[in-house]
PDB file of all heavy atoms in Angstrom:
ATOM      1  N   LEU J1207     -34.481 -57.147  52.128  1.00  0.00           N
ATOM      2  CA  LEU J1207     -34.649 -55.732  51.798  1.00  0.00           C
ATOM      3  C   LEU J1207     -35.672 -55.132  52.753  1.00  0.00           C
ATOM      4  O   LEU J1207     -36.836 -55.554  52.791  1.00  0.00           O
ATOM      5  CB  LEU J1207     -35.107 -55.571  50.349  1.00  0.00           C
ATOM      6  CG  LEU J1207     -35.100 -54.130  49.801  1.00  0.00           C
ATOM      7  CD1 LEU J1207     -33.676 -53.576  49.792  1.00  0.00           C
ATOM      8  CD2 LEU J1207     -35.703 -54.089  48.402  1.00  0.00           C
ATOM      9  N   THR J1208     -35.228 -54.144  53.547  1.00  0.00           N
ATOM     10  CA  THR J1208     -36.041 -53.615  54.637  1.00  0.00           C
ATOM     11  C   THR J1208     -36.311 -52.128  54.442  1.00  0.00           C
ATOM     12  O   THR J1208     -35.405 -51.361  54.126  1.00  0.00           O
ATOM     13  CB  THR J1208     -35.322 -53.838  55.986  1.00  0.00           C
ATOM     14  OG1 THR J1208     -35.040 -55.234  56.138  1.00  0.00           O
ATOM     15  CG2 THR J1208     -36.184 -53.368  57.136  1.00  0.00           C
ATOM     16  N   GLN J1209     -37.564 -51.733  54.642  1.00  0.00           N
ATOM     17  CA  GLN J1209     -37.935 -50.325  54.539  1.00  0.00           C
ATOM     18  C   GLN J1209     -37.637 -49.606  55.849  1.00  0.00           C
ATOM     19  O   GLN J1209     -37.856 -50.164  56.929  1.00  0.00           O
ATOM     20  CB  GLN J1209     -39.437 -50.199  54.231  1.00  0.00           C
ATOM     21  CG  GLN J1209     -39.868 -50.821  52.918  1.00  0.00           C
ATOM     22  CD  GLN J1209     -41.375 -50.728  52.713  1.00  0.00           C
ATOM     23  OE1 GLN J1209     -42.125 -50.527  53.651  1.00  0.00           O
ATOM     24  NE2 GLN J1209     -41.794 -50.878  51.473  1.00  0.00           N
ATOM     25  N   PRO J1210     -37.144 -48.378  55.789  1.00  0.00           N
ATOM     26  CA  PRO J1210     -36.922 -47.622  57.023  1.00  0.00           C
ATOM     27  C   PRO J1210     -38.249 -47.304  57.703  1.00  0.00           C
ATOM     28  O   PRO J1210     -39.282 -47.148  57.035  1.00  0.00           O
ATOM     29  CB  PRO J1210     -36.212 -46.354  56.551  1.00  0.00           C
ATOM     30  CG  PRO J1210     -36.496 -46.258  55.100  1.00  0.00           C
ATOM     31  CD  PRO J1210     -36.726 -47.634  54.589  1.00  0.00           C
ATOM     32  N   PRO J1211     -38.253 -47.201  59.037  1.00  0.00           N
ATOM     33  CA  PRO J1211     -39.494 -46.929  59.770  1.00  0.00           C
ATOM     34  C   PRO J1211     -40.237 -45.677  59.303  1.00  0.00           C
ATOM     35  O   PRO J1211     -41.473 -45.667  59.283  1.00  0.00           O
ATOM     36  CB  PRO J1211     -39.015 -46.787  61.218  1.00  0.00           C
ATOM     37  CG  PRO J1211     -37.821 -47.679  61.291  1.00  0.00           C
ATOM     38  CD  PRO J1211     -37.132 -47.513  59.963  1.00  0.00           C
ATOM     39  N   VAL J1212     -39.519 -44.625  58.928  1.00  0.00           N
ATOM     40  CA  VAL J1212     -40.195 -43.409  58.472  1.00  0.00           C
ATOM     41  C   VAL J1212     -40.998 -43.675  57.199  1.00  0.00           C
ATOM     42  O   VAL J1212     -42.110 -43.160  57.036  1.00  0.00           O
ATOM     43  CB  VAL J1212     -39.183 -42.267  58.258  1.00  0.00           C
ATOM     44  CG1 VAL J1212     -39.762 -41.169  57.360  1.00  0.00           C
ATOM     45  CG2 VAL J1212     -38.778 -41.669  59.594  1.00  0.00           C
ATOM     46  N   LYS J1213     -40.472 -44.498  56.309  1.00  0.00           N
ATOM     47  CA  LYS J1213     -41.202 -44.830  55.085  1.00  0.00           C
ATOM     48  C   LYS J1213     -42.494 -45.564  55.413  1.00  0.00           C
ATOM     49  O   LYS J1213     -43.558 -45.262  54.860  1.00  0.00           O
ATOM     50  CB  LYS J1213     -40.328 -45.685  54.169  1.00  0.00           C
ATOM     51  CG  LYS J1213     -41.028 -46.095  52.873  1.00  0.00           C
ATOM     52  CD  LYS J1213     -40.096 -46.924  51.989  1.00  0.00           C
ATOM     53  CE  LYS J1213     -40.774 -47.328  50.685  1.00  0.00           C
ATOM     54  NZ  LYS J1213     -39.860 -48.117  49.826  1.00  0.00           N
ATOM     55  N   ILE J1214     -42.412 -46.531  56.320  1.00  0.00           N
ATOM     56  CA  ILE J1214     -43.589 -47.314  56.691  1.00  0.00           C
ATOM     57  C   ILE J1214     -44.654 -46.411  57.308  1.00  0.00           C
ATOM     58  O   ILE J1214     -45.841 -46.477  56.946  1.00  0.00           O
ATOM     59  CB  ILE J1214     -43.191 -48.437  57.674  1.00  0.00           C
ATOM     60  CG1 ILE J1214     -42.249 -49.432  56.979  1.00  0.00           C
ATOM     61  CG2 ILE J1214     -44.419 -49.153  58.212  1.00  0.00           C
ATOM     62  CD1 ILE J1214     -41.608 -50.429  57.915  1.00  0.00           C
ATOM     63  N   THR J1215     -44.242 -45.534  58.217  1.00  0.00           N
ATOM     64  CA  THR J1215     -45.185 -44.641  58.881  1.00  0.00           C
ATOM     65  C   THR J1215     -45.783 -43.642  57.895  1.00  0.00           C
ATOM     66  O   THR J1215     -46.991 -43.370  57.920  1.00  0.00           O
ATOM     67  CB  THR J1215     -44.495 -43.900  60.039  1.00  0.00           C
ATOM     68  OG1 THR J1215     -44.062 -44.859  61.004  1.00  0.00           O
ATOM     69  CG2 THR J1215     -45.434 -42.906  60.701  1.00  0.00           C
ATOM     70  N   ALA J1216     -44.958 -43.087  57.020  1.00  0.00           N
ATOM     71  CA  ALA J1216     -45.454 -42.122  56.030  1.00  0.00           C
ATOM     72  C   ALA J1216     -46.500 -42.764  55.119  1.00  0.00           C
ATOM     73  O   ALA J1216     -47.533 -42.149  54.803  1.00  0.00           O
ATOM     74  CB  ALA J1216     -44.289 -41.580  55.208  1.00  0.00           C
ATOM     75  N   GLN J1217     -46.257 -43.989  54.703  1.00  0.00           N
ATOM     76  CA  GLN J1217     -47.224 -44.679  53.856  1.00  0.00           C
ATOM     77  C   GLN J1217     -48.539 -44.906  54.592  1.00  0.00           C
ATOM     78  O   GLN J1217     -49.619 -44.772  54.006  1.00  0.00           O
ATOM     79  CB  GLN J1217     -46.635 -46.000  53.361  1.00  0.00           C
ATOM     80  CG  GLN J1217     -45.505 -45.813  52.360  1.00  0.00           C
ATOM     81  CD  GLN J1217     -44.804 -47.115  51.998  1.00  0.00           C
ATOM     82  OE1 GLN J1217     -44.786 -48.075  52.762  1.00  0.00           O
ATOM     83  NE2 GLN J1217     -44.212 -47.155  50.816  1.00  0.00           N
ATOM     84  N   GLU J1218     -48.453 -45.235  55.889  1.00  0.00           N
ATOM     85  CA  GLU J1218     -49.667 -45.404  56.690  1.00  0.00           C
ATOM     86  C   GLU J1218     -50.460 -44.107  56.776  1.00  0.00           C
ATOM     87  O   GLU J1218     -51.703 -44.123  56.805  1.00  0.00           O
ATOM     88  CB  GLU J1218     -49.303 -45.875  58.102  1.00  0.00           C
ATOM     89  CG  GLU J1218     -48.751 -47.291  58.170  1.00  0.00           C
ATOM     90  CD  GLU J1218     -48.279 -47.649  59.566  1.00  0.00           C
ATOM     91  OE1 GLU J1218     -48.341 -46.782  60.467  1.00  0.00           O
ATOM     92  OE2 GLU J1218     -47.837 -48.801  59.767  1.00  0.00           O
ATOM     93  N   LEU J1219     -49.740 -42.985  56.807  1.00  0.00           N
ATOM     94  CA  LEU J1219     -50.379 -41.677  56.943  1.00  0.00           C
ATOM     95  C   LEU J1219     -50.749 -41.051  55.602  1.00  0.00           C
ATOM     96  O   LEU J1219     -51.338 -39.966  55.568  1.00  0.00           O
ATOM     97  CB  LEU J1219     -49.442 -40.729  57.705  1.00  0.00           C
ATOM     98  CG  LEU J1219     -49.102 -41.122  59.148  1.00  0.00           C
ATOM     99  CD1 LEU J1219     -48.008 -40.210  59.711  1.00  0.00           C
ATOM    100  CD2 LEU J1219     -50.346 -41.057  60.025  1.00  0.00           C
ATOM    101  N   GLY J1220     -50.398 -41.722  54.503  1.00  0.00           N
ATOM    102  CA  GLY J1220     -50.693 -41.179  53.176  1.00  0.00           C
ATOM    103  C   GLY J1220     -49.795 -40.033  52.769  1.00  0.00           C
ATOM    104  O   GLY J1220     -50.176 -39.190  51.939  1.00  0.00           O
ATOM    105  N   ILE J1221     -48.595 -39.986  53.327  1.00  0.00           N
ATOM    106  CA  ILE J1221     -47.628 -38.928  53.009  1.00  0.00           C
ATOM    107  C   ILE J1221     -46.670 -39.436  51.935  1.00  0.00           C
ATOM    108  O   ILE J1221     -46.118 -40.535  52.074  1.00  0.00           O
ATOM    109  CB  ILE J1221     -46.844 -38.521  54.272  1.00  0.00           C
ATOM    110  CG1 ILE J1221     -47.794 -37.952  55.328  1.00  0.00           C
ATOM    111  CG2 ILE J1221     -45.737 -37.519  53.934  1.00  0.00           C
ATOM    112  CD1 ILE J1221     -47.147 -37.739  56.686  1.00  0.00           C
ATOM    113  N   PRO J1222     -46.445 -38.684  50.861  1.00  0.00           N
ATOM    114  CA  PRO J1222     -45.489 -39.123  49.831  1.00  0.00           C
ATOM    115  C   PRO J1222     -44.097 -39.339  50.411  1.00  0.00           C
ATOM    116  O   PRO J1222     -43.657 -38.590  51.288  1.00  0.00           O
ATOM    117  CB  PRO J1222     -45.494 -37.961  48.831  1.00  0.00           C
ATOM    118  CG  PRO J1222     -46.806 -37.282  49.039  1.00  0.00           C
ATOM    119  CD  PRO J1222     -47.104 -37.416  50.505  1.00  0.00           C
ATOM    120  N   VAL J1223     -43.410 -40.357  49.909  1.00  0.00           N
ATOM    121  CA  VAL J1223     -42.088 -40.717  50.414  1.00  0.00           C
ATOM    122  C   VAL J1223     -41.037 -40.486  49.330  1.00  0.00           C
ATOM    123  O   VAL J1223     -41.226 -40.868  48.172  1.00  0.00           O
ATOM    124  CB  VAL J1223     -42.047 -42.197  50.858  1.00  0.00           C
ATOM    125  CG1 VAL J1223     -40.642 -42.592  51.301  1.00  0.00           C
ATOM    126  CG2 VAL J1223     -43.048 -42.439  51.976  1.00  0.00           C
ATOM    127  N   LEU J1224     -39.926 -39.877  49.719  1.00  0.00           N
ATOM    128  CA  LEU J1224     -38.784 -39.695  48.823  1.00  0.00           C
ATOM    129  C   LEU J1224     -37.570 -40.347  49.471  1.00  0.00           C
ATOM    130  O   LEU J1224     -37.340 -40.179  50.669  1.00  0.00           O
ATOM    131  CB  LEU J1224     -38.525 -38.207  48.591  1.00  0.00           C
ATOM    132  CG  LEU J1224     -39.664 -37.410  47.937  1.00  0.00           C
ATOM    133  CD1 LEU J1224     -39.337 -35.920  47.935  1.00  0.00           C
ATOM    134  CD2 LEU J1224     -39.922 -37.906  46.520  1.00  0.00           C
ATOM    135  N   GLN J1225     -36.772 -41.082  48.672  1.00  0.00           N
ATOM    136  CA  GLN J1225     -35.621 -41.807  49.200  1.00  0.00           C
ATOM    137  C   GLN J1225     -34.377 -41.586  48.333  1.00  0.00           C
ATOM    138  O   GLN J1225     -33.867 -42.509  47.715  1.00  0.00           O
ATOM    139  CB  GLN J1225     -35.932 -43.302  49.277  1.00  0.00           C
ATOM    140  CG  GLN J1225     -37.029 -43.661  50.284  1.00  0.00           C
ATOM    141  CD  GLN J1225     -37.342 -45.140  50.285  1.00  0.00           C
ATOM    142  OE1 GLN J1225     -38.111 -45.619  49.444  1.00  0.00           O
ATOM    143  NE2 GLN J1225     -36.757 -45.872  51.214  1.00  0.00           N
ATOM    144  N   PRO J1226     -33.877 -40.351  48.314  1.00  0.00           N
ATOM    145  CA  PRO J1226     -32.690 -40.091  47.488  1.00  0.00           C
ATOM    146  C   PRO J1226     -31.474 -40.856  47.993  1.00  0.00           C
ATOM    147  O   PRO J1226     -31.218 -40.920  49.200  1.00  0.00           O
ATOM    148  CB  PRO J1226     -32.487 -38.586  47.631  1.00  0.00           C
ATOM    149  CG  PRO J1226     -33.135 -38.228  48.934  1.00  0.00           C
ATOM    150  CD  PRO J1226     -34.316 -39.146  49.057  1.00  0.00           C
ATOM    151  N   ALA J1227     -30.731 -41.430  47.055  1.00  0.00           N
ATOM    152  CA  ALA J1227     -29.504 -42.142  47.428  1.00  0.00           C
ATOM    153  C   ALA J1227     -28.418 -41.176  47.870  1.00  0.00           C
ATOM    154  O   ALA J1227     -27.545 -41.526  48.664  1.00  0.00           O
ATOM    155  CB  ALA J1227     -29.020 -42.988  46.260  1.00  0.00           C
ATOM    156  N   THR J1228     -28.460 -39.966  47.368  1.00  0.00           N
ATOM    157  CA  THR J1228     -27.473 -38.951  47.730  1.00  0.00           C
ATOM    158  C   THR J1228     -28.108 -37.574  47.642  1.00  0.00           C
ATOM    159  O   THR J1228     -29.092 -37.376  46.912  1.00  0.00           O
ATOM    160  CB  THR J1228     -26.243 -39.019  46.798  1.00  0.00           C
ATOM    161  OG1 THR J1228     -25.308 -38.006  47.172  1.00  0.00           O
ATOM    162  CG2 THR J1228     -26.638 -38.824  45.336  1.00  0.00           C
ATOM    163  N   LEU J1229     -27.543 -36.631  48.378  1.00  0.00           N
ATOM    164  CA  LEU J1229     -27.987 -35.238  48.290  1.00  0.00           C
ATOM    165  C   LEU J1229     -26.971 -34.381  47.554  1.00  0.00           C
ATOM    166  O   LEU J1229     -27.148 -33.175  47.434  1.00  0.00           O
ATOM    167  CB  LEU J1229     -28.196 -34.671  49.698  1.00  0.00           C
ATOM    168  CG  LEU J1229     -29.178 -35.396  50.612  1.00  0.00           C
ATOM    169  CD1 LEU J1229     -29.268 -34.672  51.951  1.00  0.00           C
ATOM    170  CD2 LEU J1229     -30.546 -35.517  49.978  1.00  0.00           C
ATOM    171  N   LYS J1230     -25.925 -35.009  47.030  1.00  0.00           N
ATOM    172  CA  LYS J1230     -24.785 -34.263  46.507  1.00  0.00           C
ATOM    173  C   LYS J1230     -24.831 -33.991  45.006  1.00  0.00           C
ATOM    174  O   LYS J1230     -24.088 -33.142  44.520  1.00  0.00           O
ATOM    175  CB  LYS J1230     -23.490 -35.011  46.831  1.00  0.00           C
ATOM    176  CG  LYS J1230     -23.210 -35.127  48.321  1.00  0.00           C
ATOM    177  CD  LYS J1230     -21.932 -35.906  48.580  1.00  0.00           C
ATOM    178  CE  LYS J1230     -21.654 -36.033  50.066  1.00  0.00           C
ATOM    179  NZ  LYS J1230     -20.410 -36.815  50.331  1.00  0.00           N
ATOM    180  N   ASP J1231     -25.678 -34.710  44.274  1.00  0.00           N
ATOM    181  CA  ASP J1231     -25.621 -34.555  42.817  1.00  0.00           C
ATOM    182  C   ASP J1231     -26.603 -33.526  42.265  1.00  0.00           C
ATOM    183  O   ASP J1231     -26.681 -33.300  41.063  1.00  0.00           O
ATOM    184  CB  ASP J1231     -25.832 -35.901  42.128  1.00  0.00           C
ATOM    185  CG  ASP J1231     -27.201 -36.519  42.425  1.00  0.00           C
ATOM    186  OD1 ASP J1231     -28.036 -35.833  43.059  1.00  0.00           O
ATOM    187  OD2 ASP J1231     -27.422 -37.676  42.027  1.00  0.00           O
ATOM    188  N   GLY J1232     -27.390 -32.904  43.109  1.00  0.00           N
ATOM    189  CA  GLY J1232     -28.298 -31.847  42.669  1.00  0.00           C
ATOM    190  C   GLY J1232     -29.655 -32.337  42.233  1.00  0.00           C
ATOM    191  O   GLY J1232     -30.588 -31.532  42.091  1.00  0.00           O
ATOM    192  N   ALA J1233     -29.823 -33.644  42.006  1.00  0.00           N
ATOM    193  CA  ALA J1233     -31.099 -34.154  41.518  1.00  0.00           C
ATOM    194  C   ALA J1233     -32.207 -33.941  42.545  1.00  0.00           C
ATOM    195  O   ALA J1233     -33.309 -33.485  42.202  1.00  0.00           O
ATOM    196  CB  ALA J1233     -30.977 -35.634  41.173  1.00  0.00           C
TER     197      ALA J1233
END
């Protein structure tokens, strides 16, 4: 299980991370 590079960098910078599985359901 591998984290995407943007997630790793955002965590280093203290930026909240969001990882929606889809953009189609409105959530």
Side-chain angles (χ1 to χ4, degrees):
L1207 190 63
T1208 304
Q1209 298 177 341
V1212 161
K1213 179 179 181 179
I1214 295 170
T1215 298
Q1217 290 173 334
E1218 291 174 358
L1219 297 172
I1221 298 170
V1223 176
L1224 299 173
Q1225 294 178 277
T1228 179
L1229 303 181
K1230 296 179 180 179
D1231 62 7

